[in-house]
Amino acid sequence: MFRRSFNRFCAGEEKRVGTRTVFVGNHPVSETEAYIAQKFCDNRIISSKYTLWNFLPKNLFEQFRRIANFYFLIIFLIQVTVDTPTSPITSGLPLFFVITVTAIKQGYEDWLRHRADNEVNKSTVYIIENAKRVKKESEKIKTHYAVRDTIELRTVESIDNLRAAIECEQPQSDLYKFVGRINIYSNSLEAVARSLGPENLLLKGATLKNTKKIYGVAVYTGMETKMALNYQGKSQKRSAVEKSINAFLIVYLFILLTKAAICTTLKYVWQSTPYNDEPWYNQKTQKERETWKVLKMFTDFLSFMVLFNFIIPVSMYVTVEMQKFLGSFFISWDNDFYDEEINEGALVNTSDLNEELGQVDYVFTDKTGTLTENSMEFIECCIDGHKYKGVAQETDGLSQTDGPLPYLDRADKNREELFLRALCLCHTVEVKPNDTVDGVRESSELTYMSSSPDEIALVKGAKKYGFTFVGVQNGYMRVENQRKEIEEYELLHTLNFDSVRRRMSVIVKTQSGDILLFCKGADSAVFPRVQNHEIDLIKVHVEHNAMEGYRTLCIAFKEIAPDDYERVNRQLIEAKMALQDREEKMEKVFDEIETDMHLIGATAVEDKLQDQAAETIEALHAAGLKVWVLTGDKMETAKSTCYACRLFQTNTELLELTTKTIEESERKEDRLHELLTEYRKKLLREFPKSTRSLKKAWTEHQEYGLIIDGSTLSLILNSSQDSGSNNYRSIFLQICMKCTAVLCCRMAPLQKAQIVRMVKNLKGSPITLSIGDGANDVSMILESHVGIGIKGKEGRQASRNSDYAVPKFKHLKKLLLAHGHLYYVRIAHLVQYFFYKNLCFILPQFLYQFFCGFSQQPLYDAAYLTMYNICFTSLPILAYSLLEQHINIDTLTSDPRLYMKISGNAMLQLGPFLYWTFLAAFEGTVFFFGTYFLFQTTSLDENGKVYGNWTFGTIIFTILVFTVTLKLALDTRFWTWINHLVIWGSLAFYVFFSFFWGGIIWPFLKQQRMYFIFAQMLSSVSIWLTIILLIFVSLSPEMLRIVLRSVRRRSTRNPNLELPMLLSYKHIDSGYR
Amino acid sequence: MKQQQLPAFRLQLSANEILSGFFAIGLFCLGMGIILLLSAKSIREVEINYTEKCATCAKLREDATNFDKECNCSISFYLPQKMEGNVYLYYKLYGFYQNLYRYILSRSNIQLVGTDVKDVRNCAPFKTSDNGLPIAPCGAIANSMFNDTIVLLYNFNSSTHIRVPMVRTETAWWTDKYVKFQNPTFQNLSSAFAGTAKPPNWPKPVYELDEKDPGNNGFVNDDFIVWMRTAAFPNFKKLYRRLHRIGNFTEGLPAGSYSFIINYNFPVGRFQGQKAVVLSTLTWSGGSSLFLALAYLVTGAVTLLASFSMMAVHLKLKERKTFFLQ
């Protein structure tokens, strides 16, 4: 829990421009100035979409924006207004059902969001009001915090007495930027001005670590906080499949309109001869004669549309919704996603995107907490080229001072101790004693704290070897050595770490009066500053460790003679005091001091990767996905993690676009341009044009990885409006597309989203997936097509805003390779099947118009028209789309290449679509003409009785129902009892229903069309034979295809085919050396 | 279930199973085709189109005002082979659209089932007669009922003409005749239809359709019921009479000279249609269904061909597989 004091006051004149002024504690600064209350927004966070009041209109509006829903509404209205062959109920009822189900689903999801918002908004905070601490709900807070230079203010009262005003910029989304100024009016009227920077700003959602409470001033509130500004608007995500559905819908709508237009035209052509227009046996009614011809044509057109409207199935949307909704349970039920640590499994926040998991092209992942556990561990060190493995001794901790160290051979004792002392001294770690501590200091219970987890790991590592850092007292660093004696070192100077130098040093004075400088830093930063002969010994180890993906640091030291120290000391103090160019000066001094050092050794720290992170990334790579790591971390750390998790292989050639590579030149843009073109040239040489074969040609080519950092990225994306900027962008994208792995470091949250958006809008609009665990990943999670949250340590913001949340990164593998693949195959098949079965259904109806004078006579009975999609053929496909596993889950997860087969929405492309459409057209034609020719026979019965049009329709309908159901049976690879039940059950139900429907004179029906049609039909042997034959003929192309496919599979079984050679990281160890 | 690990059966057919399946289907189709072909061959069928042959009558009927003038027409034909067994007499109409949307709707089932003779709700445009009485049976279908009378004469020799005995019942579906169509319950059929008018095109009211047989009169008249079952296509046959196998005709229709005496009432010229009479014998599968026989034969042949080629491919692959192993 953290508490902050917030002051709810503020005054100011500008609204959005310029700066805002916040008065601390609501106290006017001076009596003379009139106090003007300024309006700031309240502290409420809103991520929900609807309110109680606007839900109905807004939701209905959103729903009818869907092409399909709108279309059905139109059809319904036509049926209501125009005299049509089918009743309005046939389309009105399903539409109402779909709308209601969707509204309930979306309402429920929004209610969940409301609840989550409330959770945040109602969390308690304390506000100082008139020197009292008042408990308030968070949403009532009015603006936000900053403290500095007010160290003496430790109590409620003193805060209350503070008279200050904070001037700061208007809310901005950049997390790492804050410009402000605080004017403190102490007793004297003169204001003391201090500058405020990002280091003084606490972001919303931040957690206090080293202190229990903190007093602050609210600067930005609610939707104006930087975190909230980094949220993206919640827009409804739509999957690629849904887009395909819409495309198909338009095709089918076109078919429908064409059919209706053809029929209407032909009708009037046909009716142009008077005896066809009005034969004596079918005279027109008075009303018909009077109707205006154009209007009649129009209503005829609409009637045909209604007659054929079943070609676009309303029930498909119900089935798709149900499939998605029910299907998503498989994810949350999956035991493999269950994590025992947090006692939770996967979480599905939206069911709309299940199939999108099978379509991912780009994976954007956060690093810390996602790829790594965010906990560092000391692995080994080397001293003068002797390797020390630091794992074995944990059994009896510290007492084992002289115990056998697991070293290969041992360095000189002095050097060893020097190294360990260096580890203990050269850091900025603070010690937090345990609460219970007094007197007896149990050093093993010390808690170390530092902004850098590496340092803690190093200090802990030293502890394993017997040197314990106990703490700082009065400027003395206290270290307990192997003999349990306390050594004290006076800390003279700390030369802080910075990313340019990439090293840090301390200057200490030993008890004996020697002045020592200890330096630790990246190898590249240290090696040039030490003696050459020392490097060779260490270098091997460092390189080896880096290869292993460990974070390596080199340790060096230097003795400073007292005279020298005097000079150094003076220079340092001078530099620190400088008001102008302070940083440059400091750097210069540091540079001078950190020379001629002696290398003692190197350390290897592991930012522990999450369990199976490397395997997962490897699998994703093998599945043809491009993995991008987007992190706020610095480049070196990120890079080593990328090596560790096999994002970069040893043979990956890295292209770097970072501040480091670019700043070497004076004109950044020129240099950038130069690099970009150079890289592009290189890549184009490697992959001549064929972007398509990139996935396939995985192994034959050199792999490229790209590293880019935030500032360079913004240089590329935002570089001025001059002609070059667009060019940069496209070159950059070309490079990105050719790289198998990309690492983006030093990213702000919005930049992450920017990258995602950029990739999303690439040619061919690839499907992106983002995975992250922290609040800073939310924007990218929301931006990408699929957002995955890790239920990590950094709060629940990510998982709440994600579409799916899993406990660990490793779960991504099964989520994509198995679940995603299956969902995609299922829904793609579902969609194709639905269009197929309805084309089969309606085509005979269309053909029949040619034989009934285009009079809109329906071929099938109204009950069949309505029930076909709802009852007879709906359940088998639903069961299929829930249960089908055309390939085993185990096979799917173990062979990632299978994922490539469905990439690029493969099953919903033009080819498969045409196949299904032609199949449907073929079958519809076979049904119709097969039965048509049968009906040319004098009699179908041995007793000479004749059959009418309804029998004709019923025969076709029977063949239709059996064919489409059996077609599905042919497609089903995974027969569970449910499949059996619904497939055979549906057929049985059809037969039963037909008997039943025809068995009774229904009192509520005007027409008893179906009376005994079905039973009479089955009494004819010819009809039986026809039904069987036509079913077989209709299915034969499909059967042939299945047989041919299995033949092909058998023949292509090639023993040489293996997984693409992605070096498994387990082999790399032995491969080295 | 939750882990998607229901016990499931994966259909994995071996090549032998597939091949034998295909062979079986192919053989079945071929056999069926041959049987159907043979039975279709055994059927005798005669169709005589009398639109042209009765040209004078046809011309007379072109004009609707001549509705009350009788017109008879005789057509002779020669039957070279006798027609054995049951012989059925059909009339066939060409170009008559019984499947027009509005036409099919234009009937009242409530009326036809005998519940309410005066229910004419859906019968537009033939709901009521000119003097406002409800029409029974109402609607376009009933109004346009086929009303030619066809009599078959057997010309035993040039002077003796025997009228071939025909049965006019049991030509409609049993369920139609006994459930779907019911006369209103009254002692006297004509009084049951009191207060209704005959359809405008009919020469006589519905209760005079078959005055000799009360079980075949009114709504339950077989000819009427057969007509009311609307045909699927504009060219259709409807069962008219069955041969009554007595006397000379116990075996069927003997070979020889026949003539149809047709009382020509039904106008087809006005819609450019044609009329024909059809005499046919039937077998177990119904009428002469050359289509079904051919379809089975072709399917069987193609399936067998496909199975043979599949077998060839299969054997070839098998060979290569062993080659791989060596």
Side-chain angles (χ1 to χ4, degrees), chain A residues 582-594:
Chain A
R582 189 195 291 168
E583 274 163 22
E584 281 80 17
K585 282 181 183 163
M586 300 261 284
E587 213 165 287
K588 208 174 140 215
V589 178
F590 290 171
D591 207 46
E592 277 171 28
I593 300 169
E594 290 163 338

PDB file of all heavy atoms in Angstrom, chain A residues 582-594:
ATOM      1  N   ARG A 582      27.783  20.821 -16.686  1.00  0.00           N
ATOM      2  CA  ARG A 582      28.228  19.969 -15.595  1.00  0.00           C
ATOM      3  C   ARG A 582      28.538  18.549 -16.082  1.00  0.00           C
ATOM      4  O   ARG A 582      29.556  17.968 -15.751  1.00  0.00           O
ATOM      5  CB  ARG A 582      27.138  19.922 -14.520  1.00  0.00           C
ATOM      6  CG  ARG A 582      27.576  19.242 -13.246  1.00  0.00           C
ATOM      7  CD  ARG A 582      26.390  18.896 -12.397  1.00  0.00           C
ATOM      8  NE  ARG A 582      25.753  20.085 -11.863  1.00  0.00           N
ATOM      9  CZ  ARG A 582      24.566  20.071 -11.272  1.00  0.00           C
ATOM     10  NH1 ARG A 582      23.886  18.942 -11.182  1.00  0.00           N
ATOM     11  NH2 ARG A 582      24.029  21.165 -10.796  1.00  0.00           N
ATOM     12  N   GLU A 583      27.667  18.068 -16.906  1.00  0.00           N
ATOM     13  CA  GLU A 583      27.819  16.681 -17.324  1.00  0.00           C
ATOM     14  C   GLU A 583      29.074  16.456 -18.143  1.00  0.00           C
ATOM     15  O   GLU A 583      29.799  15.479 -17.941  1.00  0.00           O
ATOM     16  CB  GLU A 583      26.573  16.223 -18.088  1.00  0.00           C
ATOM     17  CG  GLU A 583      25.523  15.717 -17.136  1.00  0.00           C
ATOM     18  CD  GLU A 583      24.158  15.626 -17.755  1.00  0.00           C
ATOM     19  OE1 GLU A 583      24.086  15.559 -18.992  1.00  0.00           O
ATOM     20  OE2 GLU A 583      23.182  15.627 -16.994  1.00  0.00           O
ATOM     21  N   GLU A 584      29.307  17.365 -19.043  1.00  0.00           N
ATOM     22  CA  GLU A 584      30.502  17.215 -19.876  1.00  0.00           C
ATOM     23  C   GLU A 584      31.757  17.226 -19.006  1.00  0.00           C
ATOM     24  O   GLU A 584      32.682  16.432 -19.204  1.00  0.00           O
ATOM     25  CB  GLU A 584      30.607  18.327 -20.917  1.00  0.00           C
ATOM     26  CG  GLU A 584      29.716  18.151 -22.129  1.00  0.00           C
ATOM     27  CD  GLU A 584      28.288  18.566 -21.842  1.00  0.00           C
ATOM     28  OE1 GLU A 584      28.077  19.276 -20.834  1.00  0.00           O
ATOM     29  OE2 GLU A 584      27.382  18.159 -22.602  1.00  0.00           O
ATOM     30  N   LYS A 585      31.730  18.131 -18.063  1.00  0.00           N
ATOM     31  CA  LYS A 585      32.921  18.249 -17.216  1.00  0.00           C
ATOM     32  C   LYS A 585      33.140  16.999 -16.381  1.00  0.00           C
ATOM     33  O   LYS A 585      34.261  16.500 -16.265  1.00  0.00           O
ATOM     34  CB  LYS A 585      32.773  19.481 -16.312  1.00  0.00           C
ATOM     35  CG  LYS A 585      33.055  20.760 -17.049  1.00  0.00           C
ATOM     36  CD  LYS A 585      32.926  21.968 -16.137  1.00  0.00           C
ATOM     37  CE  LYS A 585      33.140  23.226 -16.967  1.00  0.00           C
ATOM     38  NZ  LYS A 585      32.655  24.434 -16.287  1.00  0.00           N
ATOM     39  N   MET A 586      32.066  16.532 -15.816  1.00  0.00           N
ATOM     40  CA  MET A 586      32.167  15.318 -15.008  1.00  0.00           C
ATOM     41  C   MET A 586      32.720  14.175 -15.850  1.00  0.00           C
ATOM     42  O   MET A 586      33.611  13.440 -15.451  1.00  0.00           O
ATOM     43  CB  MET A 586      30.780  14.905 -14.492  1.00  0.00           C
ATOM     44  CG  MET A 586      30.098  15.918 -13.633  1.00  0.00           C
ATOM     45  SD  MET A 586      30.258  15.576 -11.887  1.00  0.00           S
ATOM     46  CE  MET A 586      29.107  14.264 -11.684  1.00  0.00           C
ATOM     47  N   GLU A 587      32.168  14.070 -17.021  1.00  0.00           N
ATOM     48  CA  GLU A 587      32.566  12.997 -17.894  1.00  0.00           C
ATOM     49  C   GLU A 587      34.066  13.051 -18.167  1.00  0.00           C
ATOM     50  O   GLU A 587      34.762  12.037 -18.180  1.00  0.00           O
ATOM     51  CB  GLU A 587      31.800  13.131 -19.209  1.00  0.00           C
ATOM     52  CG  GLU A 587      31.473  11.809 -19.852  1.00  0.00           C
ATOM     53  CD  GLU A 587      30.430  12.012 -20.923  1.00  0.00           C
ATOM     54  OE1 GLU A 587      29.253  12.249 -20.588  1.00  0.00           O
ATOM     55  OE2 GLU A 587      30.828  11.965 -22.090  1.00  0.00           O
ATOM     56  N   LYS A 588      34.513  14.247 -18.380  1.00  0.00           N
ATOM     57  CA  LYS A 588      35.920  14.415 -18.691  1.00  0.00           C
ATOM     58  C   LYS A 588      36.787  13.955 -17.510  1.00  0.00           C
ATOM     59  O   LYS A 588      37.781  13.249 -17.673  1.00  0.00           O
ATOM     60  CB  LYS A 588      36.192  15.901 -19.012  1.00  0.00           C
ATOM     61  CG  LYS A 588      37.350  16.109 -19.963  1.00  0.00           C
ATOM     62  CD  LYS A 588      37.459  17.565 -20.352  1.00  0.00           C
ATOM     63  CE  LYS A 588      38.917  17.955 -20.388  1.00  0.00           C
ATOM     64  NZ  LYS A 588      39.130  19.323 -19.952  1.00  0.00           N
ATOM     65  N   VAL A 589      36.349  14.332 -16.327  1.00  0.00           N
ATOM     66  CA  VAL A 589      37.113  13.946 -15.133  1.00  0.00           C
ATOM     67  C   VAL A 589      37.098  12.431 -14.949  1.00  0.00           C
ATOM     68  O   VAL A 589      38.123  11.795 -14.737  1.00  0.00           O
ATOM     69  CB  VAL A 589      36.522  14.639 -13.885  1.00  0.00           C
ATOM     70  CG1 VAL A 589      37.263  14.203 -12.640  1.00  0.00           C
ATOM     71  CG2 VAL A 589      36.562  16.126 -14.050  1.00  0.00           C
ATOM     72  N   PHE A 590      35.908  11.882 -15.078  1.00  0.00           N
ATOM     73  CA  PHE A 590      35.784  10.428 -14.944  1.00  0.00           C
ATOM     74  C   PHE A 590      36.725   9.740 -15.918  1.00  0.00           C
ATOM     75  O   PHE A 590      37.411   8.780 -15.589  1.00  0.00           O
ATOM     76  CB  PHE A 590      34.346   9.978 -15.243  1.00  0.00           C
ATOM     77  CG  PHE A 590      33.348  10.377 -14.193  1.00  0.00           C
ATOM     78  CD1 PHE A 590      31.994  10.204 -14.410  1.00  0.00           C
ATOM     79  CD2 PHE A 590      33.763  10.904 -12.972  1.00  0.00           C
ATOM     80  CE1 PHE A 590      31.073  10.557 -13.451  1.00  0.00           C
ATOM     81  CE2 PHE A 590      32.841  11.265 -12.019  1.00  0.00           C
ATOM     82  CZ  PHE A 590      31.493  11.098 -12.250  1.00  0.00           C
ATOM     83  N   ASP A 591      36.694  10.263 -17.106  1.00  0.00           N
ATOM     84  CA  ASP A 591      37.493   9.672 -18.158  1.00  0.00           C
ATOM     85  C   ASP A 591      38.973   9.662 -17.787  1.00  0.00           C
ATOM     86  O   ASP A 591      39.684   8.693 -18.029  1.00  0.00           O
ATOM     87  CB  ASP A 591      37.279  10.484 -19.439  1.00  0.00           C
ATOM     88  CG  ASP A 591      37.508   9.638 -20.654  1.00  0.00           C
ATOM     89  OD1 ASP A 591      36.986   8.513 -20.675  1.00  0.00           O
ATOM     90  OD2 ASP A 591      38.215  10.107 -21.570  1.00  0.00           O
ATOM     91  N   GLU A 592      39.371  10.726 -17.162  1.00  0.00           N
ATOM     92  CA  GLU A 592      40.785  10.804 -16.767  1.00  0.00           C
ATOM     93  C   GLU A 592      41.092   9.844 -15.631  1.00  0.00           C
ATOM     94  O   GLU A 592      42.161   9.249 -15.577  1.00  0.00           O
ATOM     95  CB  GLU A 592      41.113  12.234 -16.348  1.00  0.00           C
ATOM     96  CG  GLU A 592      41.423  13.128 -17.525  1.00  0.00           C
ATOM     97  CD  GLU A 592      41.533  14.573 -17.087  1.00  0.00           C
ATOM     98  OE1 GLU A 592      41.893  14.814 -15.907  1.00  0.00           O
ATOM     99  OE2 GLU A 592      41.246  15.450 -17.915  1.00  0.00           O
ATOM    100  N   ILE A 593      40.155   9.737 -14.724  1.00  0.00           N
ATOM    101  CA  ILE A 593      40.418   8.899 -13.549  1.00  0.00           C
ATOM    102  C   ILE A 593      40.453   7.419 -13.915  1.00  0.00           C
ATOM    103  O   ILE A 593      41.324   6.679 -13.500  1.00  0.00           O
ATOM    104  CB  ILE A 593      39.361   9.149 -12.463  1.00  0.00           C
ATOM    105  CG1 ILE A 593      39.389  10.608 -12.036  1.00  0.00           C
ATOM    106  CG2 ILE A 593      39.579   8.245 -11.264  1.00  0.00           C
ATOM    107  CD1 ILE A 593      38.229  11.014 -11.169  1.00  0.00           C
ATOM    108  N   GLU A 594      39.506   7.021 -14.709  1.00  0.00           N
ATOM    109  CA  GLU A 594      39.369   5.595 -14.991  1.00  0.00           C
ATOM    110  C   GLU A 594      40.324   5.159 -16.093  1.00  0.00           C
ATOM    111  O   GLU A 594      39.910   4.735 -17.162  1.00  0.00           O
ATOM    112  CB  GLU A 594      37.913   5.283 -15.377  1.00  0.00           C
ATOM    113  CG  GLU A 594      36.949   5.409 -14.217  1.00  0.00           C
ATOM    114  CD  GLU A 594      35.507   5.506 -14.671  1.00  0.00           C
ATOM    115  OE1 GLU A 594      35.275   5.889 -15.819  1.00  0.00           O
ATOM    116  OE2 GLU A 594      34.616   5.203 -13.862  1.00  0.00           O
TER     117      GLU A 594
END
